[in-house]
Amino acid sequence: MAKKSPSDSISIELLNYPQSLLLGNQDYELSFSVKNNSESIESYAFNFTSTTSDISVDKSYIKGVSFNSGESKIVPVKIRPKIEGLTELNVIIYYQKKIEFKSMDWKIKKNVEKSIVSKIIGKTQVNFDDLKGYKKKLPKSISLGDIPSLSKSKAKKELDKIKSVPSIKVHTREIERKIITQVPKTITKQVPEKIIKKIPRVIEEIIPQEPLVNAINGKKFERPPLKTTKTVYESIEETVMKTVTETVYEEKIETKIDIVEDTTLPSKKGEITLKQKDETLSRIAKGVFNQDPQYAFAIVKMISDPNKRYANISQFVPPGIRLDSKTTIEAVMGLDLGPQKEALIEIIANSLAAEKPDEAAMIALNIDNIAKRDEIITNIIFTAAYLKPQIASNLIYQLSKKELQHQILFELVKGWAHKDKKRAIESLKSLISNILSESNIELIKTCMIFLAYLTDPQSVYDLIDGFRSKDDKSLLVEQLQEYLKVKVQTKKIKLESQELSKLYFTFTAISKKITPALNYLVELKGNISSNLIEGNISSNIIVICPFKFNFPIFMNFQSCYVELLQETQKTFGFLLFPSKENYSEEELKHFHNILNNFIKNQTNQHPSPFVIINLDLIPYFSKPTIFLGDNGDPLIKDIHSKLKGNFTNEINLMINNSFFSQGKSFIELQNILKEPNFRICNIILTYNFLNDIGLLKTFFKAILS
């Protein structure tokens, strides 16, 4: 059997052509039935367009839909008119011809090559020292040499000997400094209301001074008494006196004595110098340290020479970490040791890295040298990476540079890849999202490749699809292509669209001035011709059908309306008002409203009156029949003549002057559409005209002539 041509392979039909007027305040769903008449699977695309209505259709039908042989599909199209009059819908159907061809394309690999992964793992982004064994390498005690080991009690006795020495070689020199100050003083005196006579008098006072006490040995030094003078005023009362207060200022002279150590004087028996005292304290601290580090640190604090104090502390810290870490940390952090303190902080931080990495990092933050601080924290992070991975991850953000943070996190991910794959994947995705906005393309690419190794290359491209920036997407796809894709030859099928047919549908519509009468007309499934809506009727013939039937008649009228307009540039107007209540008061109100708005008030007037055809339909006769109601108007004979001239013997044409000449609808039309602008006549057609569109078209053409 010969294969059907593409143009015959598909059929399309509008199943629910609207019989009523379309209003612009709602959507109407049109259902198109499409059938594939081909004996093979075919693909078709549909293009629905309109310049006078808003339309919406499933995009899949626009791109193309596959139909099995003989398969039918319903294509729903929503339409909402946006003009007054005739709105259109255009449909173009395309046959999508399948064309097979070969192409070299990049295909995503199933996994990353081992050589690429090995290269990434082997290349270290950051150098670091593992501190897990650092604390064990520290000494457990200090070397005493010739210093005897002391218990705490013996150390106390040795310390008491220093305190009980009769005198210490600390001689004083008294340096007198005279200080003169103005001292305010408030006095009470009698003052006359009118005259006052002031008599000054100087008073000398001797104030004894407390002796000075030497802070080291308690020795007292006497100070001479302080001599001061003050001036007071006496008043002589000559008239009425009153009591007032007044502030006066006195000069106060005092002598200040400074006590300083005089090392130039010769030593007396039993005295020791500060240097000797520091050396003794140092020996006691060392002797007791291995037994009681806390007491040893307390003794070191008594040493006056900062250099000697630091020498002892630095010797105590390494073993102190092992013997009593808490005391050692408190001693170092509590003393002002200057820049030398940072070396001790490093020892403490390194020793705590394995057991307490978070505490170690906090201690390291006390180092002012940024490079040194980052180096120590880096070592702490890598030491804790497997023991306490969550803490290690958090400590990364204590580093000063973002680039270093990213590099270290990637190194941690590489380490976690085999032991904690889930953590590695989550951390790597987080790292990628954080560095996207930065310019380190090489690190981003490396992270992406390693993520593909941990998951699969496809998941990496899925991740890239979620990025917002188009530039980031295109750059990454280009950078990763040689690592995650491979070029392969594939067979492809492309669809070449060929236009099969065009369909054109029109519907009468009103989009803006929607009245209750129009809503009622739509409810009745009634309609109005577009020329009456637009107010540009091209003839003086208006057909009104005010009766209800059990079948739709709009399409019959609309087909004749459109064809006559295309053929003769002239057509009739029509109103279909299928009454359901036999023109009750409410229904009659709506009917009159429509007659007034769309017929009586037509702006495009004609030189001759409008001819209103009050049309009714009756059941079939054996021969198509037309009844004219003769109401005495010469118009009837004119119409009869036109009909007779256009029809031959295929119809019966009858005039009746009684039964068909008047009626309720005729009277209602006369009440609204009055002469001389309107002339009304009754015409009745049998159903035969509805079944033969040619006869109906000839009828309308005749009355238009």
Side-chain angles (χ1 to χ4, degrees):
M1 182 181 290
K3 186 176 180 180
K4 292 184 179 181
S5 66
S7 59
D8 298 327
S9 66
I10 189 169
S11 57
I12 184 169
E13 178 186 3
L14 177 55
L15 299 178
N16 59 339
Y17 191 101
Q19 299 297 314
S20 62
L21 183 70
L22 302 186
L23 300 180
N25 60 357
Q26 58 184 300
D27 292 327
Y28 298 87
E29 186 169 292
L30 307 178
S31 297
F32 289 88
S33 176
V34 182
K35 183 179 180 181
N36 176 25
N37 300 318
S38 173
E39 296 178 354
S40 59
I41 298 174
E42 303 291 357
S43 182
Y44 302 96
F46 305 86
N47 185 21
F48 295 88
T49 60
S50 175
T51 59
T52 55
S53 289
D54 294 324
I55 61 172
S56 63
V57 62
D58 192 325
K59 291 182 179 179
S60 62
Y61 291 103
I62 299 173
K63 294 179 180 178
V65 179
S66 179
F67 286 74
N68 292 324
S69 175
E71 182 183 7
S72 295
K73 293 181 186 289
I74 300 297
V75 182
V77 179
K78 286 185 178 180
I79 182 171
R80 175 178 289 206
K82 55 184 182 181
I83 65 162
E84 318 299 305
L86 203 63
T87 182
E88 94 287 348
L89 176 64
N90 302 289
V91 185
I92 303 177
I93 305 171
Y94 297 95
Y95 170 66
Q96 294 186 314
K97 184 179 180 181
K98 296 177 182 178
I99 301 175
E100 290 189 359
F101 65 99
K102 292 180 180 179
S103 173
M104 294 297 294
D105 297 310
W106 287 100
K107 183 180 179 182
I108 298 175
K109 297 178 181 179
K110 291 184 178 180
N111 45 54
V112 185
E113 294 175 14
K114 290 183 179 180
S115 59
I116 298 175
V117 178
S118 298
K119 189 175 180 181
I120 292 173
I121 294 175
K123 184 179 179 181
T124 303
Q125 300 273 344
V126 182
N127 295 319
F128 63 92
D129 293 328
D130 190 345
L131 302 174
K132 283 195 286 290
Y134 183 89
K135 186 175 180 180
K136 290 183 179 180
K137 294 178 182 179
L138 297 177
K140 294 182 180 180
S141 61
I142 63 170
S143 177
L144 297 178
D146 60 350
I147 298 173
S149 177
L150 300 174
S151 64
K152 184 176 181 180
S153 59
K154 288 183 179 181
K156 282 185 177 181
K157 290 179 181 179
E158 292 295 320
L159 199 59
D160 289 339
K161 289 179 182 179
I162 299 176
K163 294 179 180 179
S164 62
V165 172
S167 61
I168 300 175
K169 185 191 172 187
V170 179
H171 298 277
T172 62
R173 290 179 297 171
E174 294 183 359
I175 303 174
E176 293 188 1
R177 289 185 294 157
K178 291 185 178 181
I179 301 174
I180 301 174
T181 58
Q182 294 288 327
V183 181
K185 186 174 182 180
T186 301
I187 61 173
T188 302
K189 55 187 177 179
Q190 297 293 317
V191 180
E193 290 184 355
K194 295 180 179 180
I195 301 172
I196 183 169
K197 185 177 181 180
K198 296 181 180 180
I199 302 174
R201 185 162 63 89
V202 178
I203 301 174
E204 183 177 271
E205 289 185 343
I206 299 175
I207 302 173
Q209 299 294 301
E210 293 292 330
L212 292 174
V213 180
N214 189 309
I216 298 174
N217 57 14
K219 185 178 179 180
K220 294 183 179 180
F221 299 92
E222 297 296 331
R223 291 193 295 169
L226 181 64
K227 295 179 180 181
T228 63
T229 60
K230 66 179 181 179
T231 302
V232 297
Y233 295 88
E234 294 179 352
S235 301
I236 298 176
E237 182 179 348
E238 293 185 353
T239 57
V240 180
M241 305 296 293
K242 65 177 181 179
T243 303
V244 296
T245 58
E246 183 177 302
T247 301
V248 296
Y249 292 89
E250 304 172 346
E251 285 189 353
K252 183 177 180 181
I253 302 173
E254 61 177 326
T255 302
K256 183 175 178 62
I257 300 175
D258 290 338
I259 300 176
V260 297
E261 180 184 2
D262 187 356
T263 57
T264 62
L265 298 176
S267 300
K268 296 180 181 180
K269 186 178 180 180
E271 291 181 335
I272 62 172
T273 64
L274 286 176
K275 181 178 180 181
Q276 290 171 331
K277 179 187 175 185
D278 285 349
E279 289 175 353
T280 303
L281 290 172
S282 176
R283 290 175 64 85
I284 296 171
K286 290 178 181 179
V288 77
F289 177 80
N290 292 334
Q291 307 298 324
D292 194 331
Q294 186 177 10
Y295 193 53
F297 279 116
I299 295 172
V300 168
K301 290 181 181 179
M302 301 178 188
I303 298 174
S304 60
D305 185 349
N307 292 327
K308 189 174 288 292
R309 189 163 57 241
Y310 173 76
N312 281 271
I313 292 289
S314 61
Q315 186 180 1
F316 291 171
V317 165
I321 290 296
R322 300 194 67 178
L323 296 175
D324 188 345
S325 61
K326 181 180 178 182
T327 298
T328 303
I329 294 169
E330 289 175 353
V332 172
M333 304 309 291
L335 289 174
D336 181 13
L337 301 173
Q340 299 168 320
K341 185 175 182 177
E342 294 192 354
L344 302 180
I345 291 175
E346 180 179 359
I347 295 172
I348 295 172
N350 289 346
S351 64
L352 295 176
E355 298 173 4
K356 301 176 181 178
D358 48 349
E359 186 177 338
M362 292 305 103
I363 290 173
L365 289 175
N366 289 280
I367 294 177
D368 294 331
N369 186 313
I370 295 175
K372 188 64 178 177
R373 184 175 67 217
D374 282 350
E375 178 189 337
I376 295 170
I377 294 177
T378 297
N379 293 336
I380 294 170
I381 290 170
F382 282 105
T383 301
Y386 302 116
L387 301 173
K388 299 181 180 181
Q390 187 58 51
I391 294 177
S393 297
N394 295 336
L395 292 182
I396 288 174
Y397 302 102
Q398 301 298 335
L399 297 166
S400 62
K401 297 179 181 178
K402 280 192 175 182
E403 183 179 359
L404 181 60
Q405 293 175 6
H406 300 155
Q407 291 172 342
I408 290 178
L409 181 54
F410 183 62
E411 289 300 319
L412 293 181
V413 167
K414 290 196 299 184
W416 292 332
H418 298 294
K419 296 184 178 180
D420 193 346
K421 190 174 182 180
K422 183 179 179 182
R423 179 186 294 277
I425 293 172
E426 290 175 354
S427 299
L428 194 50
K429 286 182 178 180
S430 175
L431 174 58
I432 290 169
S433 65
N434 287 333
I435 62 178
L436 269 180
S437 59
E438 300 180 15
S439 58
N440 195 342
I441 298 299
E442 191 62 32
L443 179 59
I444 297 173
K445 182 180 73 175
T446 304
C447 290
M448 286 289 192
I449 296 171
F450 201 69
L451 179 61
Y453 160 68
L454 294 178
T455 54
D456 59 79
Q458 181 61 56
S459 65
V460 169
Y461 285 100
D462 292 341
L463 181 65
I464 293 173
D465 285 340
F467 295 158
R468 293 182 180 179
S469 171
K470 292 183 179 179
D471 293 338
D472 288 341
K473 289 182 181 181
S474 58
L475 180 60
L476 283 171
V477 169
E478 180 184 345
Q479 291 280 329
L480 296 172
Q481 186 168 268
E482 63 176 296
Y483 301 98
L484 304 184
K485 290 185 177 181
V486 61
K487 225 170 188 183
V488 295
Q489 187 182 69
T490 56
K491 287 184 178 181
K492 289 187 175 182
I493 296 176
K494 68 177 180 179
L495 298 175
E496 188 178 86
S497 295
Q498 298 177 355
E499 186 178 308
L500 291 184
S501 60
K502 292 182 179 179
L503 301 175
Y504 180 78
F505 299 89
T506 58
F507 317 99
T508 53
I510 294 178
S511 65
K512 295 178 181 177
K513 296 179 180 179
I514 301 171
T515 63
L518 288 175
N519 283 322
Y520 186 75
L521 179 66
V522 171
E523 183 183 332
L524 294 178
K525 305 296 182 186
N527 219 318
I528 308 173
S529 62
S530 59
N531 55 4
L532 290 179
I533 295 172
E534 295 167 356
N536 64 350
I537 187 167
S538 57
S539 72
N540 67 333
I541 303 298
I542 299 175
V543 178
I544 299 176
C545 185
F547 306 104
K548 182 179 181 181
F549 305 98
N550 294 326
F551 45 83
I553 62 173
F554 168 72
M555 284 301 297
N556 304 74
F557 280 65
Q558 181 70 2
S559 296
C560 296
Y561 171 93
V562 172
E563 289 180 17
L564 288 171
L565 184 62
Q566 292 173 344
E567 293 172 7
T568 66
Q569 307 302 310
K570 185 171 70 171
T571 191
F572 58 96
F574 65 88
L575 166 64
L576 306 180
F577 193 96
S579 168
K580 67 177 181 179
E581 297 179 1
N582 196 23
Y583 292 95
S584 64
E585 182 179 350
E586 184 67 23
E587 190 173 67
L588 199 58
K589 178 182 175 182
H590 293 314
F591 184 54
H592 287 178
N593 186 291
I594 290 174
L595 290 176
N596 282 320
N597 288 337
F598 295 98
I599 297 178
K600 183 178 180 180
N601 297 328
Q602 277 293 313
T603 56
N604 190 8
Q605 298 296 328
H606 287 264
S608 57
F610 281 108
V611 175
I612 305 299
I613 307 296
N614 185 26
L615 184 68
D616 194 5
L617 298 166
I618 60 175
Y620 295 97
F621 279 22
S622 58
K623 190 175 184 179
T625 303
I626 301 175
F627 294 93
L628 298 177
D630 187 1
N631 57 9
D633 191 329
L635 171 67
I636 303 303
K637 291 183 179 180
D638 182 49
I639 293 175
H640 181 272
S641 176
K642 290 179 179 181
L643 291 172
K644 192 172 183 180
N646 280 272
F647 288 104
T648 54
N649 294 326
E650 69 265 33
I651 69 163
N652 290 326
L653 181 59
M654 304 177 67
I655 296 180
N656 184 289
N657 60 0
S658 58
F659 187 72
F660 296 124
S661 62
Q662 296 291 319
K664 183 177 181 180
S665 61
F666 181 86
I667 295 171
E668 292 299 336
L669 290 174
Q670 277 189 326
N671 290 336
I672 301 296
L673 308 175
K674 300 181 181 295
E675 293 185 356
N677 294 329
F678 298 94
R679 297 171 69 184
I680 305 170
C681 71
N682 289 344
I683 297 180
I684 299 175
L685 304 178
T686 59
Y687 290 170
N688 307 69
F689 285 85
L690 297 179
N691 279 354
D692 189 337
I693 196 69
L695 286 177
L696 186 62
K697 179 181 174 183
T698 302
F699 166 76
F700 287 123
K701 185 177 181 180
I703 61 177
L704 281 169
S705 60

